Amino acid sequence: MAEEPQPQAAAAPAAAATEVVVAEKAPAEVEKKAEEPAAEAEAEETAAVADDGGAVEATGSFKEESNLVADLPDPEKKALDEFKELIVAALAAGEFNLPPPPPPPKAKTEAAAEETKTEAPAKEEAKTEEPAKAEEPAKEEPKAEEPAKAEAAAAEPAAEEPKAVVAAEAAAEEPAKEEPKAEEAKPAEPKKEEEAVVVAEEGTKTAEPVEEAAAAATTTEQAAAPEPEAEAAAPEPVFIWGVPLVGDDERTDAVLLKFLRAREFKVKEAMAMLRSAVLWRKRFGIESLLEADLAFPELEKVVFYRGADREGHPVCYNVYGEFQDKEVYEKAFGDEEKRERFLKWRIQLLERGILSQLDFAPSGICSMVQVTDLKNSPPMLGKHRAVTRQAVALLQDNYPEFIAKKVFINVPWWYLAANKMMSPFLTQRTKSKFVFASQAKSPETLFRYIAPEQVPVQFGGLFKEDDPDFTTSDSVTELTIKASSKETIEIPVTENSTIVWELRVLGWEVSHGAEFTPDAEGAYTVIVQKTRKVPANEEPIMKGSFKAGEAGKIVLTVSNAASKKKKLLYRSKVKCSTGESVEADIP
């Protein structure tokens, strides 16, 4: 895929091009096509981020519109109907078909050679005719003259025959023009009796090609007659992202509305965009690209899909800091061939994501969320610059409205400046989808749109690959620990059960401990994890487990001695409830 932020186009690294896209202009959103707010507002927003390291939303929050036709305002319904009519007409006219490739130069040369060969014999015969006429005055040998004239006369019809055939092909419009040709065959000047006889005989022969031409013209007319019926045949259906452009498929409306919204429901402009996108997909070879083996193991950490946001949109992460690795950078952008492969790989990844994670149902999921991590991101210089621009342009023009939200995290000062410069070129709609967050506020900003259990550990969440204890279906509780305060979490425990939990404080630098307190009076408290200060460079997630032989509760304590509040995330579950030895994990 889409909408992609054009802002990225301005500042993000080449990989940006790789953002997914879609923009209001497709990947303009992707970095490809996007939309924007006013200059003054931007200045204030940039100042806000610089002052308190907070998150900035370009202009309010974007709310995705419904794809149900019944929910559309009347003007939009009318535009959709008109759009469908234009598509049907375009299909009938073959406007979605690529033009036939030009004939190879050889074919043209051979055709010219054949034409020359055809004309040569006629010219030679014409030259032969002149000497024959020159001998005409010699009345002493009249008999010899007749064969010469006969031969010359025979040459005339031969020369006329190609013309007659050409005329026959065009006879559908002017078949009557063949008659004068028959007259041309007759001598214009009176001749001797014997010559008249010869001309008469030859005239009969000359008439034959004319009759043949007329017959050919008739045949051509008959052959041409059925053509209108052939044109009336139903045009071949055209699909985009597996959805037909016309028909009763309920997904069609969702796809067409993307193009209409990208062009503010200007039907003719939407039609031009759709036509261009379909033809580009054919030229680019999207169908074959989906099956191609463009494995790029080195880039699996650069662009990847992971989880969904709070509204069910799939999330695509773009991590440009990975290009700090020179080996990875060279494999992606080292030379022209590698850059072309990178571009195809990025488009392939987007297409596969669209087909596997979007359903285009009227009330289904039709767009995605883009998260762009700009930490250690290379500036818009170097070998990746050209491919980034190309990718942004492709995404913007061919993947409209595929971005529900575009979140930029770990945003450096230079990016905000670059985005401010690009803002005037973005639409208000696109800008309303952008959110910018500094490094300090990135995790909390993400949690506004994506639940912590869905956010990868590297971005402040609790999701880890191959986690044996928790999955994305295990919800996370979020708490805020005030400055110079203590937070206590109690987890109920039943008899003969094993409890597992995990906890994370963003930035750590807090003291943490865990203990088990039985419900029975007089029972002793069991220390599960000794209280200690956890430094910022500690493992991001702290896990623990405890098998209780009796009912009670696990008490987790977190003390924040800092002058700033801290974000706390935790979750727990019963792992098993049958007899196992009591165990505890102490980090």
Side-chain angles (χ1 to χ4, degrees):
M1 6 196 299
E3 328 195 19
E4 286 264 312
Q6 286 181 341
Q8 298 194 205
T18 131
E19 295 234 9
V20 190
V21 266
V22 201
E24 251 18 270
K25 284 184 166 195
E29 296 241 329
V30 118
E31 282 183 359
K32 213 240 91 168
K33 288 189 158 198
E35 313 173 329
E36 347 78 37
E40 287 181 23
E42 294 181 273
E44 294 176 3
E45 293 167 346
T46 302
V49 175
D51 292 342
D52 78 356
V56 171
E57 200 155 344
T59 72
S61 182
F62 170 77
K63 182 164 180 61
E64 201 168 17
E65 301 94 335
S66 170
N67 286 318
L68 291 169
V69 176
D71 295 340
L72 300 177
D74 289 339
E76 293 183 3
K77 288 181 183 177
K78 184 179 179 181
L80 180 59
D81 290 338
E82 185 180 341
F83 193 23
K84 290 180 178 179
E85 291 175 3
L86 289 180
I87 293 173
V88 171
L91 282 170
E95 294 180 20
F96 292 109
N97 299 330
L98 290 175
K106 260 189 176 182
K108 292 182 180 178
T109 306
E110 290 174 5
E114 287 179 12
E115 190 175 332
T116 304
K117 288 179 183 177
T118 304
E119 293 175 358
K123 290 180 180 178
E124 288 177 12
E125 292 177 1
K127 288 180 182 179
T128 305
E129 181 181 348
E130 290 177 12
K133 289 182 179 179
E135 294 175 10
E136 196 176 305
K139 297 180 181 179
E140 296 177 6
E141 300 179 9
K143 291 184 180 179
E145 178 183 289
E146 288 180 16
K149 289 184 179 179
E151 188 176 314
E156 289 181 19
E160 291 294 327
E161 192 166 348
K163 296 180 182 178
V165 173
V166 173
E169 292 177 355
E173 294 182 7
E174 299 182 61
K177 291 184 179 179
E178 295 299 335
E179 294 179 9
K181 290 184 180 179
E183 293 177 5
E184 289 175 12
K186 298 179 183 179
E189 299 177 3
K191 298 193 177 183
K192 298 180 181 180
E193 230 179 326
E194 46 210 64
E195 291 177 353
V197 174
V198 173
V199 173
E201 291 176 359
E202 295 302 334
T204 303
K205 292 179 182 178
T206 303
E208 289 177 6
V210 177
E211 290 173 6
E212 289 175 8
T218 303
T219 305
T220 304
E221 289 177 358
Q222 292 175 348
E227 285 184 13
E229 294 179 10
E231 290 177 1
E236 183 179 345
V238 174
F239 292 81
I240 185 168
W241 304 302
V243 179
L245 294 185
V246 297
D248 298 327
D249 194 314
E250 63 175 4
R251 301 173 299 167
T252 298
D253 289 339
V255 170
L256 298 186
L257 284 170
K258 286 183 176 294
F259 288 89
L260 285 170
R261 285 172 177 145
R263 292 295 179 263
E264 299 179 336
F265 282 87
K266 296 176 182 177
V267 180
K268 290 184 179 179
E269 291 183 19
M271 184 65 212
M273 184 182 190
L274 175 61
R275 183 190 300 111
S276 176
V278 171
L279 294 177
W280 170 78
R281 293 173 68 81
K282 291 183 177 181
R283 286 193 300 269
F284 201 76
I286 294 296
E287 294 302 319
S288 58
L289 182 64
L290 286 170
E291 305 301 326
D293 181 9
L294 297 175
F296 241 134
E298 301 83 5
L299 299 183
E300 289 180 358
K301 292 182 179 179
V302 176
V303 183
F304 55 89
Y305 292 95
R306 187 78 73 243
D309 74 345
R310 294 182 183 276
E311 296 179 355
H313 300 99
V315 181
C316 180
Y317 291 87
N318 301 271
V319 188
Y320 299 140
E322 293 292 331
F323 286 119
Q324 290 291 326
D325 185 324
K326 292 183 179 180
E327 184 177 349
V328 172
Y329 187 91
E330 285 300 316
K331 284 186 177 181
F333 312 112
D335 54 40
E336 186 60 36
E337 184 178 345
K338 290 178 180 177
R339 290 191 287 273
E340 183 178 348
R341 182 189 176 204
F342 173 84
L343 179 62
K344 289 184 177 180
W345 171 81
R346 186 63 189 86
I347 295 297
Q348 181 191 66
L349 184 67
L350 173 59
E351 284 286 332
R352 288 178 174 177
I354 290 173
L355 294 176
S356 65
Q357 305 199 46
L358 303 182
D359 57 17
F360 296 112
S363 56
I365 302 301
C366 303
S367 58
M368 55 185 69
V369 169
Q370 284 281 325
V371 175
T372 298
D373 182 9
L374 297 177
K375 186 177 182 180
N376 299 323
S377 175
M380 283 296 286
L381 300 172
K383 300 176 182 178
H384 67 268
R385 187 177 184 182
V387 72
T388 297
R389 289 181 174 179
Q390 186 179 1
V392 168
L394 289 179
L395 294 173
Q396 180 175 323
D397 295 335
N398 303 293
Y399 296 88
E401 293 292 318
F402 274 88
I403 292 299
K405 183 67 65 180
K406 183 74 175 174
V407 184
F408 297 87
I409 59 176
N410 297 316
V411 180
W413 66 268
W414 60 261
Y415 188 86
L416 289 175
N419 180 66
K420 182 179 178 181
M421 293 174 62
M422 284 297 296
S423 183
F425 301 98
L426 305 176
T427 68
Q428 188 64 33
R429 179 185 179 82
T430 295
K431 286 194 266 187
S432 69
K433 298 181 180 183
F434 291 171
V435 176
F436 302 90
S438 65
Q439 184 171 356
K441 292 294 181 180
S442 289
E444 292 182 55
T445 301
L446 280 180
F447 299 157
R448 289 167 55 189
Y449 308 103
I450 309 169
E453 60 268 22
Q454 298 279 351
V455 177
V457 172
Q458 68 190 96
F459 303 119
L462 295 184
F463 175 81
K464 292 197 302 183
E465 296 283 358
D466 305 318
D467 189 329
D469 299 317
F470 296 95
T471 67
T472 53
S473 61
D474 298 313
S475 61
V476 172
T477 299
E478 300 178 55
L479 295 175
T480 297
I481 311 173
K482 295 180 180 179
S484 303
S485 65
K486 178 180 179 180
E487 188 71 33
T488 300
I489 302 167
E490 296 184 355
I491 305 173
V493 178
T494 58
E495 185 178 354
N496 295 321
S497 64
T498 297
I499 298 296
V500 294
W501 68 88
E502 61 183 8
L503 172 141
R504 178 174 192 173
V505 177
L506 300 179
W508 284 113
E509 294 298 340
V510 298
S511 295
H512 163 62
E515 60 185 27
F516 170 69
T517 302
D519 288 341
E521 292 184 16
Y524 291 100
T525 296
V526 178
I527 296 177
V528 179
Q529 293 177 347
K530 292 180 180 179
T531 299
R532 68 185 181 88
K533 185 173 183 179
V534 184
N537 61 356
E538 183 78 51
E539 278 293 316
I541 299 176
M542 188 168 290
K543 284 195 171 188
S545 65
F546 183 79
K547 183 176 185 303
E550 57 185 314
K553 59 186 176 184
I554 292 290
V555 180
L556 307 177
T557 59
V558 179
S559 299
N560 176 24
S563 58
K564 292 185 178 181
K565 60 184 179 181
K566 299 278 187 176
K567 172 69 73 174
L568 167 64
L569 310 173
Y570 78 91
R571 59 182 170 180
S572 63
K573 68 189 294 186
V574 175
K575 189 174 182 181
C576 61
S577 57
T578 55
E580 285 182 13
S581 59
V582 175
E583 59 182 41
D585 292 334
I586 302 177

